[in-house]
Amino acid sequence: MSEPLHFVVKTRLVEVIERLGEGGALPPERVLAKDFGVSRWTMRQAIRELIADGRLRARQGQGTFVATPKLVQPLALVSYTEALRAQGHTPAREVVKFEEIAADDVLAEQLAIASGDRVYELERVLFADGQPIGLETTYMSVQRFPTLREVLDPTGSLYRCLTGQLGVRFGEGEELVETVIATPREAELLKATQSLPMLLLHRNTRDADGHPIEVVRSLYRGDRVGFRATLRP
Amino acid sequence: MSEPLHFVVKTRLVEVIERLGEGGALPPERVLAKDFGVSRWTMRQAIRELIADGRLRARQGQGTFVATPKLVQPLALVSYTEALRAQGHTPAREVVKFEEIAADDVLAEQLAIASGDRVYELERVLFADGQPIGLETTYMSVQRFPTLREVLDPTGSLYRCLTGQLGVRFGEGEELVETVIATPREAELLKATQSLPMLLLHRNTRDADGHPIEVVRSLYRGDRVGFRATLRP
DNA sequence: AAGTGGTCTAGACCACTCC
DNA sequence: GAGTGGTCTAGACCACTTG
């Protein structure tokens, strides 16, 4: 058994996927398993990987379907709204949480404030064409931006609000990208199946004077989104 | 069952991990399953996610151990060797393949050559501190770099060879990041367990005149590596 | 030879969607 | 209620590492 059975199944499923085309419905797992002569577990393992790869999409109670290609988001300091519109998609945001909390040690250091200082915690689900693709959690100092709650439309662009109404000038920032497995809560907010690999972006932005503006934790569905970075020599 | 059992197990395992510390050995899966009162499948599901998250590392025939933190690689046009050394790690490369092949339509377009033209295919496993962390496949036009085989030390830095010996001046490039599941072959080359989420980087670099230099497909172990990008306003 | 993680089976029940 | 994907069990065998 040099190649695991579920991988052989996966390879054969790719042919089925290509024959069906975007949006096509796969036969039920139980039927596929029987047709391929494997157990349901093995079939599900193959399907699970194809879902992670962005080739399939499963909907409980409905079936499994051939997915549309992944979105590509710029890895840059631009507005989510504008970036998505530029690619012909319809952006939307939904506020999950907008609170003030006390900064823990890590957050305080990243924002250059004292531990325990008040910070905004703004959590929003990002949509593209009506589908949830990301969960963005932003932390900002209340002391530094005392009018934020009055000025910001929480379903609108934070970037636009900061540069426009609050006169913030962005300087260099830093972004970390890694893969993680979503928690059940995160998966539910993103309407994703559990145990799906996600892309976690941890962003740290500063103004032109080098003072921290915001700390952002963005979790994107790895099956639906990719990122583009422009390299400069 | 609002929270799946394997997630409850995962949460409890995190406590075990923190108590053990880096390099600590977990009890065998079968023992853990019995202790937690769950089936081995459920335990493995929890462990699988912790491996994907980079918290655990499993070695067949040996056991499961608490992992060391992920490496962070710059998402920029710099030498792999230098980037790793700058972080106090020991880089190494191992050549898997160095051949000349005929370009297919997609590759030909990316390299701005004719379909069927000869291209180098250089495949190398990247190591950090003796551990395989990535698989890099580079495609370059033979016609454009006819002396590459004589000039390049395939275990050395391609970037250095191009800028140094061949006088190439890099211009703007583009990089795409997404998550994928490794194939059995890729997993084996990276000594990773199957079905592990990987970070796939697709890089397209051009010289100062905008001509394509190379197309690179880099597959990094998602459990061991993350990436850093610097954002400019 | 013993013990470990890796793969796979057969079968059960749950949660959700649609009729 | 019927059918779908999602979770979980108990048990088997394989592949690998170490003594």
Short mmCIF file of all heavy atoms in Angstrom, two decimals, chain B residues 156-190:
data_model
loop_
_atom_site.label_atom_id
_atom_site.label_comp_id
_atom_site.label_asym_id
_atom_site.label_seq_id
_atom_site.Cartn_x
_atom_site.Cartn_y
_atom_site.Cartn_z
N GLY B 156 22.95 25.52 -3.84
CA GLY B 156 23.17 26.89 -3.39
C GLY B 156 21.99 27.79 -3.71
O GLY B 156 20.92 27.32 -4.12
N SER B 157 22.17 29.06 -3.53
CA SER B 157 21.10 30.02 -3.72
C SER B 157 20.94 30.38 -5.20
O SER B 157 21.87 30.88 -5.83
CB SER B 157 21.39 31.29 -2.92
OG SER B 157 20.51 32.32 -3.30
N LEU B 158 19.75 30.12 -5.73
CA LEU B 158 19.46 30.46 -7.11
C LEU B 158 19.41 31.97 -7.27
O LEU B 158 19.92 32.54 -8.25
CB LEU B 158 18.11 29.84 -7.51
CG LEU B 158 17.59 30.13 -8.91
CD1 LEU B 158 18.59 29.68 -9.96
CD2 LEU B 158 16.25 29.44 -9.13
N TYR B 159 18.83 32.61 -6.29
CA TYR B 159 18.71 34.07 -6.29
C TYR B 159 20.10 34.72 -6.39
O TYR B 159 20.34 35.63 -7.18
CB TYR B 159 18.01 34.51 -5.01
CG TYR B 159 17.80 35.98 -4.88
CD1 TYR B 159 16.74 36.62 -5.52
CD2 TYR B 159 18.65 36.76 -4.10
CE1 TYR B 159 16.54 37.97 -5.40
CE2 TYR B 159 18.46 38.12 -3.97
CZ TYR B 159 17.41 38.72 -4.62
OH TYR B 159 17.22 40.07 -4.49
N ARG B 160 21.02 34.21 -5.60
CA ARG B 160 22.38 34.71 -5.57
C ARG B 160 23.09 34.50 -6.91
O ARG B 160 23.81 35.36 -7.41
CB ARG B 160 23.16 33.96 -4.48
CG ARG B 160 24.16 34.77 -3.73
CD ARG B 160 24.81 33.87 -2.69
NE ARG B 160 24.66 34.37 -1.34
CZ ARG B 160 25.43 35.34 -0.87
NH1 ARG B 160 26.35 35.90 -1.59
NH2 ARG B 160 25.25 35.77 0.38
N CYS B 161 22.87 33.31 -7.48
CA CYS B 161 23.48 32.96 -8.76
C CYS B 161 22.99 33.88 -9.87
O CYS B 161 23.76 34.36 -10.69
CB CYS B 161 23.18 31.50 -9.10
SG CYS B 161 23.71 30.98 -10.74
N LEU B 162 21.69 34.15 -9.85
CA LEU B 162 21.10 34.98 -10.90
C LEU B 162 21.57 36.42 -10.78
O LEU B 162 21.98 37.03 -11.78
CB LEU B 162 19.57 34.93 -10.80
CG LEU B 162 18.90 33.63 -11.24
CD1 LEU B 162 17.42 33.65 -10.89
CD2 LEU B 162 19.09 33.40 -12.73
N THR B 163 21.51 36.98 -9.58
CA THR B 163 21.90 38.37 -9.41
C THR B 163 23.41 38.55 -9.52
O THR B 163 23.89 39.56 -10.01
CB THR B 163 21.43 38.92 -8.04
OG1 THR B 163 21.91 38.06 -7.02
CG2 THR B 163 19.92 38.99 -7.97
N GLY B 164 24.15 37.54 -9.06
CA GLY B 164 25.61 37.63 -9.08
C GLY B 164 26.18 37.27 -10.43
O GLY B 164 26.45 38.13 -11.28
N GLN B 165 26.27 35.97 -10.68
CA GLN B 165 26.99 35.49 -11.85
C GLN B 165 26.30 35.81 -13.18
O GLN B 165 26.96 36.02 -14.18
CB GLN B 165 27.19 33.97 -11.73
CG GLN B 165 28.08 33.60 -10.56
CD GLN B 165 28.05 32.11 -10.27
OE1 GLN B 165 27.24 31.65 -9.50
NE2 GLN B 165 28.93 31.38 -10.92
N LEU B 166 24.98 35.81 -13.19
CA LEU B 166 24.28 36.01 -14.46
C LEU B 166 23.79 37.44 -14.67
O LEU B 166 23.19 37.74 -15.70
CB LEU B 166 23.11 35.02 -14.55
CG LEU B 166 23.53 33.55 -14.63
CD1 LEU B 166 22.31 32.64 -14.63
CD2 LEU B 166 24.38 33.28 -15.87
N GLY B 167 24.05 38.30 -13.70
CA GLY B 167 23.76 39.71 -13.88
C GLY B 167 22.29 40.06 -14.05
O GLY B 167 21.96 41.06 -14.69
N VAL B 168 21.41 39.24 -13.49
CA VAL B 168 19.98 39.52 -13.60
C VAL B 168 19.58 40.58 -12.59
O VAL B 168 19.99 40.53 -11.43
CB VAL B 168 19.15 38.23 -13.37
CG1 VAL B 168 17.66 38.57 -13.29
CG2 VAL B 168 19.41 37.23 -14.46
N ARG B 169 18.79 41.55 -13.03
CA ARG B 169 18.26 42.55 -12.10
C ARG B 169 16.76 42.29 -11.92
O ARG B 169 16.00 42.35 -12.88
CB ARG B 169 18.49 43.96 -12.63
CG ARG B 169 19.99 44.34 -12.65
CD ARG B 169 20.16 45.84 -12.87
NE ARG B 169 19.42 46.30 -14.03
CZ ARG B 169 18.59 47.33 -14.00
NH1 ARG B 169 18.38 47.98 -12.88
NH2 ARG B 169 17.94 47.68 -15.09
N PHE B 170 16.37 41.98 -10.69
CA PHE B 170 14.98 41.66 -10.43
C PHE B 170 14.11 42.90 -10.43
O PHE B 170 14.51 43.95 -9.92
CB PHE B 170 14.84 40.95 -9.07
CG PHE B 170 15.15 39.48 -9.13
CD1 PHE B 170 16.45 39.01 -8.99
CD2 PHE B 170 14.13 38.56 -9.35
CE1 PHE B 170 16.73 37.65 -9.05
CE2 PHE B 170 14.41 37.21 -9.42
CZ PHE B 170 15.70 36.76 -9.27
N GLY B 171 12.91 42.77 -10.99
CA GLY B 171 11.93 43.83 -10.94
C GLY B 171 10.79 43.41 -10.01
O GLY B 171 11.02 42.66 -9.08
N GLU B 172 9.58 43.87 -10.31
CA GLU B 172 8.45 43.50 -9.46
C GLU B 172 8.06 42.05 -9.70
O GLU B 172 8.12 41.54 -10.82
CB GLU B 172 7.26 44.41 -9.73
CG GLU B 172 7.41 45.78 -9.14
CD GLU B 172 6.05 46.36 -8.74
OE1 GLU B 172 5.03 45.88 -9.23
OE2 GLU B 172 6.04 47.29 -7.90
N GLY B 173 7.63 41.40 -8.66
CA GLY B 173 7.15 40.04 -8.79
C GLY B 173 5.80 39.91 -8.11
O GLY B 173 5.28 40.86 -7.54
N GLU B 174 5.26 38.72 -8.21
CA GLU B 174 3.94 38.51 -7.65
C GLU B 174 3.92 37.15 -6.98
O GLU B 174 4.51 36.19 -7.48
CB GLU B 174 2.92 38.55 -8.77
CG GLU B 174 1.51 38.47 -8.31
CD GLU B 174 0.56 38.60 -9.49
OE1 GLU B 174 0.34 37.61 -10.19
OE2 GLU B 174 0.04 39.70 -9.69
N GLU B 175 3.26 37.08 -5.84
CA GLU B 175 3.23 35.82 -5.11
C GLU B 175 1.82 35.52 -4.64
O GLU B 175 1.14 36.39 -4.13
CB GLU B 175 4.19 35.90 -3.92
CG GLU B 175 4.53 34.56 -3.33
CD GLU B 175 5.91 34.57 -2.69
OE1 GLU B 175 6.27 35.56 -2.06
OE2 GLU B 175 6.61 33.58 -2.84
N LEU B 176 1.39 34.29 -4.84
CA LEU B 176 0.07 33.86 -4.38
C LEU B 176 0.23 32.86 -3.25
O LEU B 176 1.08 31.96 -3.32
CB LEU B 176 -0.71 33.21 -5.51
CG LEU B 176 -1.66 34.11 -6.28
CD1 LEU B 176 -0.89 34.99 -7.25
CD2 LEU B 176 -2.70 33.30 -7.03
N VAL B 177 -0.58 33.00 -2.22
CA VAL B 177 -0.54 32.10 -1.07
C VAL B 177 -1.88 31.42 -0.90
O VAL B 177 -2.91 32.10 -0.93
CB VAL B 177 -0.21 32.86 0.23
CG1 VAL B 177 0.00 31.90 1.37
CG2 VAL B 177 1.01 33.75 0.05
N GLU B 178 -1.87 30.12 -0.74
CA GLU B 178 -3.12 29.43 -0.43
C GLU B 178 -2.82 28.15 0.37
O GLU B 178 -1.67 27.76 0.49
CB GLU B 178 -3.90 29.09 -1.71
CG GLU B 178 -3.16 28.17 -2.63
CD GLU B 178 -3.98 27.77 -3.86
OE1 GLU B 178 -5.21 27.68 -3.75
OE2 GLU B 178 -3.38 27.54 -4.91
N THR B 179 -3.86 27.55 0.90
CA THR B 179 -3.68 26.28 1.60
C THR B 179 -4.10 25.15 0.69
O THR B 179 -5.09 25.25 -0.03
CB THR B 179 -4.54 26.20 2.88
OG1 THR B 179 -5.91 26.19 2.52
CG2 THR B 179 -4.27 27.35 3.81
N VAL B 180 -3.33 24.08 0.70
CA VAL B 180 -3.68 22.87 -0.04
C VAL B 180 -3.33 21.66 0.82
O VAL B 180 -2.63 21.78 1.82
CB VAL B 180 -2.91 22.77 -1.38
CG1 VAL B 180 -3.30 23.88 -2.33
CG2 VAL B 180 -1.41 22.77 -1.14
N ILE B 181 -3.82 20.52 0.38
CA ILE B 181 -3.45 19.27 1.03
C ILE B 181 -2.35 18.61 0.20
O ILE B 181 -2.47 18.53 -1.02
CB ILE B 181 -4.66 18.32 1.13
CG1 ILE B 181 -5.82 19.00 1.87
CG2 ILE B 181 -4.27 17.02 1.83
CD1 ILE B 181 -5.55 19.32 3.31
N ALA B 182 -1.30 18.18 0.85
CA ALA B 182 -0.17 17.60 0.14
C ALA B 182 -0.55 16.27 -0.50
O ALA B 182 -1.37 15.53 0.03
CB ALA B 182 1.00 17.40 1.09
N THR B 183 0.06 15.97 -1.63
CA THR B 183 -0.07 14.64 -2.22
C THR B 183 0.84 13.69 -1.44
O THR B 183 1.73 14.15 -0.71
CB THR B 183 0.37 14.64 -3.69
OG1 THR B 183 1.76 14.94 -3.75
CG2 THR B 183 -0.40 15.66 -4.50
N PRO B 184 0.60 12.38 -1.56
CA PRO B 184 1.46 11.43 -0.85
C PRO B 184 2.95 11.63 -1.19
O PRO B 184 3.80 11.56 -0.30
CB PRO B 184 0.96 10.07 -1.35
CG PRO B 184 -0.47 10.30 -1.67
CD PRO B 184 -0.52 11.70 -2.22
N ARG B 185 3.25 11.88 -2.46
CA ARG B 185 4.64 12.10 -2.85
C ARG B 185 5.23 13.32 -2.14
O ARG B 185 6.33 13.27 -1.59
CB ARG B 185 4.73 12.30 -4.37
CG ARG B 185 6.14 12.65 -4.83
CD ARG B 185 6.22 12.84 -6.35
NE ARG B 185 7.57 13.20 -6.71
CZ ARG B 185 8.00 14.45 -6.80
NH1 ARG B 185 7.17 15.45 -6.55
NH2 ARG B 185 9.26 14.70 -7.13
N GLU B 186 4.48 14.40 -2.14
CA GLU B 186 4.97 15.63 -1.49
C GLU B 186 5.12 15.42 0.01
O GLU B 186 6.11 15.84 0.61
CB GLU B 186 3.99 16.78 -1.77
CG GLU B 186 3.98 17.21 -3.23
CD GLU B 186 2.79 18.06 -3.61
OE1 GLU B 186 1.81 18.11 -2.84
OE2 GLU B 186 2.83 18.68 -4.68
N ALA B 187 4.13 14.75 0.59
CA ALA B 187 4.19 14.49 2.03
C ALA B 187 5.42 13.65 2.37
O ALA B 187 6.10 13.90 3.36
CB ALA B 187 2.91 13.79 2.49
N GLU B 188 5.72 12.71 1.52
CA GLU B 188 6.87 11.84 1.78
C GLU B 188 8.18 12.62 1.70
O GLU B 188 9.06 12.47 2.55
CB GLU B 188 6.87 10.68 0.78
CG GLU B 188 7.79 9.54 1.20
CD GLU B 188 7.89 8.47 0.11
OE1 GLU B 188 7.06 8.49 -0.82
OE2 GLU B 188 8.81 7.65 0.20
N LEU B 189 8.30 13.46 0.67
CA LEU B 189 9.51 14.26 0.52
C LEU B 189 9.70 15.19 1.72
O LEU B 189 10.82 15.49 2.11
CB LEU B 189 9.45 15.08 -0.78
CG LEU B 189 9.72 14.31 -2.07
CD1 LEU B 189 9.35 15.15 -3.29
CD2 LEU B 189 11.19 13.89 -2.13
N LEU B 190 8.59 15.64 2.29
CA LEU B 190 8.66 16.55 3.43
C LEU B 190 8.57 15.80 4.76
O LEU B 190 8.49 16.42 5.81
CB LEU B 190 7.53 17.59 3.33
CG LEU B 190 7.65 18.54 2.15
CD1 LEU B 190 6.44 19.44 2.04
CD2 LEU B 190 8.91 19.39 2.31
#
